[in-house]
Amino acid sequence: MGAPLLEMRSIVKTFPGVRALSDVSLTVAPGEVHAVCGENGAGKSTLMKVLSGVHPHGSYEGDILFQGAPCAFKDMRASEARGIVIIHQELALVPYLSIAENIFLGNEHARRGIVSWGATLKHAARLMKRVGLREHPQTRVADIGVGKQQLVEIAKALSKEVRLLILDEPTAALNDEDSAHLLGLILELKDQGIASIIISHKLNEIAAVADSVTVLRDGRTIETLDVKAPDTTEERIIRSMVGRDLDHRFPERTPYAGDPGAHPALEVRDWTVHHPIDQQRKVVDDVTLHVRRGEIVGVAGLMGAGRTELAMSVFGRSYGRGISGTVWKDGHRIRTRTVPEAVGHGIAYVTEDRKHYGLNLIDTISRNITLGALGKVSRRGIVDEHEERRVAESYRTSMGIKAPTVFEQVGRLSGGNQQKVVLSKWIFAGPDVLILDEPTRGIDVGAKYEIYTVIDRLAAQGKAVVFISSELPELLGMCDRVYTMAAGRLTGETARADATQEVLMRLMTTHDMTTNKR
């Protein structure tokens, strides 16, 4: 093997009160696809921010060598000048500029301050062809999907003569088709001699494209494995990530055995929702479903099936226009025309987009946990800060939220710990029904197990849980029944004993209700 493309030696990075990285080392060969994995909070993103200059030289200890030469990057521009480009999980694109403008933003084709649009469009078209984008270069970024926006970011990286591409959870928000295209592109770039570092929780993707995988745990390098070696199994990687064997991916669950004659805790009947802009289009079409106390009911469907639209429209009509149908709770018809009405009836919704809709990232853990039920920690309209802190401390302990204090800013927490704060907020509100929309998205296997345990405990306490997920093994491992949706319509209802990935996938790709085992 020749000289390494990248060496990171004994990297130490400390934030106030927290050592995020402790003696971490990483080596990447030329043209290699190198995966970095670990639990949320293991230090993966911090390590990449050190490499890319987001955390500048002098703010960390240790050495970085690129193509054999020492590096002391003062910012991202300095690392990009050497051919190291990072694509963050939250894409850095301007939605109302064109694809071409985004590709060359800050790196314009210009002379004496005047942009050459002919050269810009011509060069953008070449880069777009290289990554498989067929749109016109003048198409607005706001008018293309997230999968294509990822490709714009890669085209942007190629415009900077990238030698090492860093991708942080590149497929977290993509559907299966877009994910497959992106992973294929990474392999094409490898054939062109471009190395990649991929941060991912999806072990099947690591197995598909990576040559090596480095596992971090608690800010330390645990081991680097050859992905193609016979003993590099998912179980081996998981054991390195969490420091223990995970014999079961899901907690042992006693199947629901409630009173079948009791009224459902929540029942939605004949529910129809129209698109908020194109009001002729139905995004949810005549859906009827129910969930009983103590039951976990899954909702499965491909991208665009209408699962999130269904959940948001039931929860205070947070989405859609021209909504019709009825909502029933414990046998009584209720109104959920607004979010306060829905919350008042004991319904909680944990959004799939926790950073935009679930949390106030610039506020503390304490304030976020009590935000959904401030009346419980207030007297005469004034928040009792001592009581608020006591409540937050109890959830920090019971939910295993990893933070030095409850006054830690939520935006600084890992994804798994942020999700625990969201769940704590709604559990504190005391709902009877929890609608969980992709509750483990972007979370590692160890943190997933902890959240599954919380969900299972809530069901055991008599809460009714609606569990929306794109991961079929998750639905099969957690749910008592699974509804399937396609194109806004309910296409099936399958009992736990009869549910397999094949059965669910068949129902998710049909447009007729083929089974109803209610």
Side-chain angles (χ1 to χ4, degrees):
M1 181 180 286
L5 175 70
L6 169 73
E7 289 183 90
M8 301 183 77
R9 300 174 178 171
S10 304
I11 303 297
V12 176
K13 175 63 180 173
T14 303
F15 297 103
V18 178
R19 176 167 280 206
L21 298 172
S22 183
D23 195 31
V24 173
S25 296
L26 177 70
T27 302
V28 179
E32 179 187 17
V33 178
H34 195 111
V36 178
C37 65
E39 294 189 90
N40 290 96
K44 308 181 296 296
S45 295
T46 302
L47 183 66
M48 293 303 103
K49 287 177 180 177
V50 166
L51 173 58
S52 60
V54 175
H55 297 315
H57 183 261
S59 69
Y60 60 88
E61 301 172 30
D63 301 305
I64 300 175
L65 282 77
F66 190 68
Q67 296 180 308
C71 299
F73 301 135
K74 64 179 182 179
D75 53 27
M76 285 181 63
R77 275 188 172 273
S79 66
E80 288 176 352
R82 291 295 302 272
I84 300 172
V85 181
I86 185 169
I87 299 176
H88 296 281
Q89 188 172 351
E90 284 81 26
L91 303 181
L93 299 174
V94 182
Y96 298 109
L97 294 182
S98 69
I99 294 173
E101 288 170 317
N102 271 280
I103 289 174
F104 296 106
L105 191 62
N107 187 33
E108 291 83 2
H109 288 286
R111 269 189 190 177
R112 298 175 184 175
I114 299 174
V115 174
S116 171
W117 291 111
T120 297
L121 296 175
K122 188 176 180 180
H123 193 184
R126 286 201 304 269
L127 292 169
M128 291 168 65
K129 183 178 179 181
R130 194 171 167 188
V131 300
L133 267 175
R134 296 182 176 85
E135 276 68 21
H136 192 281
Q138 290 180 305
T139 302
R140 292 191 321 166
V141 163
D143 297 331
I144 61 176
V146 177
K148 291 179 179 179
Q149 289 178 16
Q150 281 278 17
L151 300 181
V152 173
E153 282 279 23
I154 294 176
K156 188 176 178 180
L158 294 175
S159 76
K160 299 170 182 175
E161 302 297 328
V162 62
R163 296 183 177 88
L164 176 62
L165 183 64
I166 306 166
L167 301 111
D168 191 352
E169 296 289 351
T171 65
L174 304 188
N175 60 31
D176 291 343
E177 182 180 352
D178 287 339
S179 294
H181 181 74
L182 180 61
L183 296 174
L185 177 58
I186 291 169
L187 292 176
E188 288 179 22
L189 296 177
K190 174 186 175 181
D191 292 339
Q192 297 167 22
I194 296 173
S196 299
I197 296 176
I198 302 176
I199 298 174
S200 180
H201 293 129
K202 299 181 179 180
L203 301 186
N204 60 324
E205 293 181 354
I206 290 174
V209 300
D211 301 299
S212 305
V213 54
T214 293
V215 180
L216 302 185
R217 186 171 75 236
D218 297 329
R220 297 178 181 273
T221 305
I222 301 303
E223 60 181 344
T224 296
L225 302 169
D226 178 353
V227 171
K228 302 300 185 286
D231 61 341
T232 304
T233 61
E234 284 195 13
E235 289 71 23
R236 167 75 181 274
I237 296 172
I238 290 169
R239 188 165 62 247
S240 290
M241 287 170 60
V242 303
R244 63 189 186 280
D245 287 319
L246 273 184
D247 296 326
H248 303 287
R249 298 282 184 93
F250 306 97
E252 291 291 336
R253 173 162 171 74
T254 303
Y256 169 76
D259 179 5
H263 289 295
L266 178 72
E267 185 172 14
V268 178
R269 298 180 186 173
D270 309 319
W271 197 255
T272 297
V273 181
H274 293 81
H275 192 277
I277 298 174
D278 181 4
Q279 295 182 36
Q280 300 301 311
R281 179 159 68 92
K282 294 178 181 179
V283 290
V284 178
D285 189 0
D286 196 31
V287 167
T288 295
L289 54 77
H290 72 280
V291 57
R292 300 182 187 279
R293 292 183 182 272
E295 190 180 26
I296 301 176
V297 173
V299 182
L302 300 175
M303 191 74 72
R307 299 166 302 162
T308 294
E309 292 81 356
L310 170 65
M312 291 183 68
S313 60
V314 170
F315 186 66
R317 307 202 173 194
S318 307
Y319 175 90
R321 294 282 184 89
I323 298 172
S324 61
T326 57
V327 179
W328 299 71
K329 183 165 179 281
D330 297 322
H332 302 286
R333 182 174 174 178
I334 61 171
R335 293 183 180 274
T336 59
R337 297 167 300 180
T338 66
V339 169
E341 271 192 341
V343 173
H345 285 297
I347 302 172
Y349 171 59
V350 177
T351 172
E352 65 175 338
D353 190 348
R354 60 179 173 266
K355 291 190 175 182
H356 284 92
Y357 302 116
L359 295 167
N360 181 349
L361 295 176
I362 63 173
D363 215 335
T364 63
I365 295 171
S366 178
R367 184 53 51 86
N368 272 276
I369 287 176
T370 59
L371 202 55
L374 280 174
K376 290 187 172 184
V377 291
S378 302
R379 290 183 180 180
R380 297 176 181 176
I382 299 173
V383 173
D384 182 337
E385 294 184 355
H386 295 292
E387 178 63 12
E388 183 178 58
R389 181 175 62 191
R390 185 195 66 77
V391 167
E393 284 287 2
S394 71
Y395 279 100
R396 184 170 76 100
T397 301
S398 65
M399 298 287 283
I401 299 169
K402 295 176 183 175
T405 73
V406 294
F407 302 113
E408 184 76 9
Q409 187 175 312
V410 166
R412 294 180 179 177
L413 302 181
S414 67
N417 286 303
Q418 287 181 353
Q419 193 67 4
K420 290 175 185 177
V421 173
V422 176
L423 285 169
S424 298
K425 176 179 75 173
W426 286 116
I427 293 169
F428 176 60
D432 301 312
V433 179
L434 283 108
I435 304 173
L436 309 178
D437 195 351
E438 302 284 5
T440 66
R441 173 173 285 173
I443 294 174
D444 63 81
V445 288
K448 279 184 177 183
Y449 187 87
E450 293 175 356
I451 288 174
Y452 295 149
T453 301
V454 171
I455 295 168
D456 200 47
R457 189 166 68 235
L458 291 169
Q461 294 169 3
K463 308 292 185 185
V465 179
V466 177
F467 194 122
I468 299 170
S469 176
S470 299
E471 297 186 30
L472 296 185
E474 186 170 71
L475 293 172
L476 295 172
M478 288 295 297
C479 298
D480 300 299
R481 288 183 293 120
V482 180
Y483 287 105
T484 47
M485 293 184 67
R489 295 186 63 84
L490 207 63
T491 59
E493 177 188 352
T494 309
R496 182 188 183 103
D498 302 321
T500 65
Q501 292 198 49
E502 292 75 17
V503 167
L504 295 183
M505 185 57 71
R506 177 173 56 81
L507 293 171
M508 288 158 57
T509 53
T510 185
H511 287 234
D512 297 311
M513 182 68 168
T514 58
T515 180
N516 190 332
K517 300 183 179 180
R518 193 202 304 182

